[in-house]
């Protein structure tokens, strides 16, 4: 498990636990990809040129190197490769071409930092290859970084550009990762959707041409997610090749997938280029965000487990609590109608049901009585909190609970003190009327004065108050993305600088309030990405808390991201939770991730309160460890049948939590749910019933009866005896 250089053959070999990635430098100038796949004893075959007409070449290489036909590592615009390119730079002479020549390399333990951006933490096995490239005409230096995370079979890529020329350059496109596959016999999995129905699963065969997913919304968005995968056609979840890709960034992105004349498939992951340019003065550098990929020859399921382990081990922040708090959130129960008395009732009922924390959602600050006012005025509304936050939070905590609070730092309502004082602090394009969404405007987070204001106001309002948890929201997308503080030639940087400001504020929060946890939210799961996961322990999965929709949203979210981040609440949006079966079904669905509650618990019957108490205790005692740290195995895909089934298991398969969820009503019938990875040499006991099963029996499956209701579910906990 390491990175090696074979100087005789000019081959770099990057190895993780189960995979190998090989690059050869050909003609002493051009890096080409030789291989990405399972680690075997076979030597890697060397570069073998392909020859087709209509593909340009240089005089010295002739047809032995046509950029248009090779498996590339990173491609300059207009460099003779007609497929999609990685780097486009407006040069001093007016052209945008980039031709990169290999100059040298460095292999080192650990990794380099990426200034201002989130990136994966190194561990003792992490190593990095730096390929040093130069455009000999413009003197643009491009450092290409390959970092291996061996235990999780993940390789990351990004580039650092330095302008060593004598004049300005403008970066017009800068991708982070390129991988060329030698076939297109793959299906592409991508996650699409909209607000309140994000990350829907789509698996379609690749076709000739481009098939991209992207965001131009200034956030990774509900509409597409940066995670994509290519998987072998016709294969089930546990078989065949599956290669996953993702991006450690929360703004505009572009996942480019293109099938070319040879039937090769090019995948590129990087910054969205539509609203991006970046001016590099002489001597200045620009570093792209990090992109990651993982290769599995045991199907999509293993690909997901690789990404889950990688995210848990290298992306997610350290836990600030020993166990994850079960929260009671006020939003769906109260909306903006909150005050001290209402909150105190929530605290009492939460404490009585063993719930760990009350999260006071929107409505506590400024003139925030509905969604048309107050954003930006981050101090408590004294009509609602007479003596201020400190004594109020103290009283809340005297019930024996923790306390969380909602914020939306990046936004401002036109009807706010902040906007009246500083209209120039919004993103805006000169002379254009501002556009609102949810009655709000977007702050120019690339403006250091805005960041300083936010730090000062949050410091003033929260320091010493004892907040244990911030729910950080972001409820609109960015348009008219211009910054009043940037000169005309830098306006294309506003969206990227916005993200740098957001990340800086996240880092400030984590330093200022080190004992507080952050739950991320963007109208639900609108920034469900690895960038946000670097700073937020959990992400509010969706504003849609209907259990049937959640079955699907949660299934597809798990393709790329671990359960530990997937905030799942038991809600009562249609007022049926008094039915025991409804409460149980919603809880069983919510057990896909860390569980919370979001309904009017104070007004609920004693029976409901008692049930909640039992559910919370079960969550902590029986399930939490498996959900947060266990491995995830899918059984039934709810996009392909009427059920969802999956299990979480610990590493030695000694504890297995199996979930079966029926979606729509159907005639009663017996369904067998196989636990294919149960330890065949072990005997298990069903903790609830005491019934024993051999591992072989579990592999065959346990039986469950379908019902003519839409609330049929079952959870089993099996432990080795
Ligand atoms: C967004 C969030 C909700 C809630 C509201 C408050 O829609 O997703 O959970 O916090 O904002 O305005």
């Amino acid at each position: 498990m390491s990175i090696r250089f074979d100087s005789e053959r000019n081959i770099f070999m990057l190895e993780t636990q189960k995979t190998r990635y090989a690059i050869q430098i050909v003609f002493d100038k051009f890096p080409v990809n030789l291989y990405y796949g399972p680690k075997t004893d076979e030597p890697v075959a060397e570069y073998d040129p392909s020859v087709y007409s209509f593909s340009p070449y240089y005089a010295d290489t002739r047809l032995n190197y046509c950029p248009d036909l090779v498996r590339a590592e990173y491609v300059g615009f207009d460099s003779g490769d007609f497929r999609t390119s990685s780097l486009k730079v407006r040069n001093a002479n007016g052209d945008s071409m980039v031709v990169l020549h290999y100059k040298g390399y460095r292999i080192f333990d650990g990794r380099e930092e990426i200034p201002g951006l989130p990136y994966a933490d190194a561990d003792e096995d992490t190593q990095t290859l730096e390929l040093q490239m130069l455009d000999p005409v413009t003197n643009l230096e491009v450092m290409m970084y390959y970092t291996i995370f061996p235990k999780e079979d993940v390789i990351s890529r990004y580039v650092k550009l330095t302008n060593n020329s004598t004049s300005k350059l403008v970066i017009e496109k800068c991708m982070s990762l390129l991988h060329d596959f030698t076939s297109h016999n793959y299906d592409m999995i991508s996650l699409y959707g909209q607000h309140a129905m994000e990350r829907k699963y789509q698996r379609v065969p690749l076709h000739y041409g481009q098939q991209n997913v992207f965001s131009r919304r200034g956030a990774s968005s509900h509409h597409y997610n940066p995670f994509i995968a290519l998987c072998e056609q016709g294969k089930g979840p546990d078989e065949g090749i599956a290669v996953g890709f993702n991006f450690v960034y929360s703004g505009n992105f572009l996942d480019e997938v293109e099938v070319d004349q040879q039937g090769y498939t090019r995948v590129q992951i990087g910054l969205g280029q539509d609203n991006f340019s970046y001016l590099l003065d002489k001597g200045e550098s620009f570093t792209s965000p990090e992109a990651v990929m993982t290769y599995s020859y045991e199907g999509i399921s293993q690909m997901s487990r690789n990404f889950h382990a990688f995210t848990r081990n290298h992306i997610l922040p350290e836990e600030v609590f020993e166990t994850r708090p079960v929260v009671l959130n006020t939003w769906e129960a109260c909306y903006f109608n909150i005050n001290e008395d209402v909150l105190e009732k929530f605290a009492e009922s939460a404490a009585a049901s063993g719930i760990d924390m009350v999260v006071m959602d929107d409505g506590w600050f400024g003139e925030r009585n509905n969604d048309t006012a107050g954003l930006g005025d981050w101090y408590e509304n004294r009509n609602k909190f007479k003596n201020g936050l400190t004594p109020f939070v103290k009283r809340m905590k005297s019930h024996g609970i923790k306390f969380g609070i909602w914020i939306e730092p990046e936004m401002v309502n036109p009807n706010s003190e902040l906007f009246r004082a500083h209209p120039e602090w919004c993103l805006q394009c000169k002379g254009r009327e501002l556009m609102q969404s949810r009655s709000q405007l977007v702050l120019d987070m690339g403006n250091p004065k805005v960041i300083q204001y936010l730090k000062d106001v949050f410091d003033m309002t929260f320091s010493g108050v004892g907040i244990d948890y911030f729910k950080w929201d972001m409820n609109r997308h960015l348009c008219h993305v211009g910054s009043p503080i940037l000169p005309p030639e830098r306006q294309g940087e506003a969206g990227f600088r916005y993200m740098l400001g957001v990340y800086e504020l996240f880092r400030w929060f984590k330093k200022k309030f080190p004992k507080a946890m952050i739950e991320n939210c963007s109208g639900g799961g609108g920034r469900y990405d690895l960038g946000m996961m670097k700073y937020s322990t959990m992400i509010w999965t969706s504003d849609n808390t209907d259990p049937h929709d959640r079955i699907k949203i949660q299934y597809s979210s798990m393709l790329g991201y671990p359960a530990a981040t997937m905030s799942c609440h038991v809600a009562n949006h249609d007022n049926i939770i008094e039915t025991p079966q409804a409460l149980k079904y919603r809880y069983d669905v919510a057990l896909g991730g860390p569980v919370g509650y979001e309904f009017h618990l104070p007004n609920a019957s004693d029976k409901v309160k008692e049930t909640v108490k039992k559910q919370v205790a079960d969550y902590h005692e029986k399930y939490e460890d498996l959900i947060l740290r266990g491995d995830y195995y899918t059984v039934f895909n709810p996009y392909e049948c009427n059920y969802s089934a999956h299990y979480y298991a610990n590493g030695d398969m000694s504890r297995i939590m199996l979930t079966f969820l029926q979606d729509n009503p159907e005639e009663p019938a017996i369904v067998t749910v196989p636990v294919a990875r149960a330890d065949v040499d072990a005997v298990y006991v069903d903790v609830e019933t005491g019934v024993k099963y051999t591992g072989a029996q579990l592999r065959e499956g346990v039986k469950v009866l379908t019902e003519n209701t839409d609330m049929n579910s079952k959870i089993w906990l099996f432990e080795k005896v």
Side-chain angles (χ1 to χ4, degrees), residues 195 198 222 329 331-332 335-336 361-363 365 368 371 375 406-408 438 440 471 473-475 519-526 540 542-544 569 598:
H195 173 234
E198 46 275 75
H222 315 76
N329 180 297
W331 179 246
E332 287 196 14
Y335 296 109
F336 296 97
D361 211 282
D362 201 350
F365 53 91
R368 189 75 169 169
D371 66 10
L375 289 175
W406 181 95
I407 52 174
E408 192 178 358
R438 207 196 189 203
Q440 61 198 58
K471 178 177 172 187
D473 214 331
M474 193 265 191
N475 277 319
E519 177 184 29
N520 192 270
C521 177
S522 174
W540 179 226
S542 178
D543 274 351
N544 184 340
H569 292 180
E598 188 156 344

Side-chain angles (χ1 to χ4, degrees), residues 588-599:
D588 286 356
V589 173
L591 275 177
V595 167
Y597 291 83
E598 188 156 344
F599 65 87

Side-chain angles (χ1 to χ4, degrees), residues 118-342:
Y119 56 85
D121 292 325
D123 66 13
E124 62 290 353
D125 295 328
T126 306
Q127 278 197 327
T128 299
L129 166 67
E130 175 188 271
L131 288 187
Q132 299 153 357
M133 310 290 295
L134 186 75
D135 185 321
V137 170
T138 63
N139 263 336
L140 173 68
E141 176 192 274
V142 178
M143 297 291 192
M144 292 163 36
Y145 290 97
Y146 299 75
T147 299
I148 56 167
F149 300 91
K151 284 196 279 290
E152 297 85 8
D153 287 316
V154 167
I155 299 177
S156 88
R157 303 251 337 241
Y158 68 94
V159 294
K160 178 178 178 190
L161 316 180
T162 303
N163 178 1
N164 288 333
S165 76
T166 49
S167 40
K168 293 175 183 175
L169 303 172
V170 180
I171 306 165
E172 295 181 322
K173 178 182 184 186
C174 178
M175 303 302 276
S176 299
L177 178 154
L178 179 153
H179 186 65
D180 282 339
F181 292 77
T182 49
S183 102
H184 64 291
N185 299 327
Y186 295 99
D187 290 332
M188 174 168 158
I189 294 178
S190 61
L191 309 178
Y192 71 101
Q194 72 256 16
H195 173 234
M197 200 60 217
E198 46 275 75
R199 291 181 301 291
K200 283 187 272 186
Y201 169 80
Q202 169 169 254
R203 177 174 175 158
V204 286
L206 289 180
H207 58 79
Y208 281 87
Q210 281 208 344
Q211 41 241 278
N212 300 343
V213 297
F214 51 83
S215 169
R216 305 184 185 106
R217 295 171 168 268
S220 51
S221 89
H222 315 76
H223 302 72
Y224 286 121
N225 189 275
F227 161 79
I228 56 166
L230 299 195
C231 46
E232 243 182 295
Q233 285 174 359
K235 302 283 186 182
D238 292 305
E239 45 177 18
I241 297 167
V243 188
F245 299 90
N246 211 336
F247 199 31
V248 190
Y249 187 66
S250 316
N252 291 341
F253 71 90
L254 175 62
D255 294 354
E256 280 189 304
V257 180
E258 177 177 332
V259 180
D260 73 3
Q261 57 174 339
Q262 304 180 91
Y264 282 15
T265 306
R266 171 162 293 174
V267 175
Q268 292 209 95
I269 310 290
L271 287 170
Q273 67 184 100
D274 285 338
N275 198 359
F276 170 78
S277 64
Y278 199 99
L279 188 143
L280 269 194
D281 260 325
K282 284 183 293 181
E284 274 186 354
S285 293
F286 172 85
T287 309
S288 76
E290 182 166 37
V292 292
M293 61 184 178
T294 187
Y295 181 103
S296 150
Y297 46 90
E298 296 158 275
I300 314 149
S301 238
Q302 186 58 44
M303 177 217 68
S304 298
R305 282 190 292 279
N306 292 353
F307 271 155
H308 295 171
F310 169 77
T311 307
R312 285 195 303 257
N313 299 340
H314 300 279
I315 298 281
L316 287 179
E318 299 257 315
E319 299 276 354
V320 293
F321 305 119
E322 245 169 56
T323 59
R324 200 64 79 77
V326 170
V327 306
L328 176 61
N329 180 297
T330 57
W331 179 246
E332 287 196 14
C334 306
Y335 296 109
F336 296 97
N337 304 317
I338 52 170
N339 58 38
E340 291 187 24
D341 295 340
V342 171

Side-chain angles (χ1 to χ4, degrees), residues 24-39:
Q24 186 165 30
I25 309 295
V26 299
F27 300 102
D28 290 329
K29 272 198 266 199
F30 306 115
V32 295
N33 187 268
L34 296 181
Y35 180 80
Y36 187 29
K39 204 155 77 178

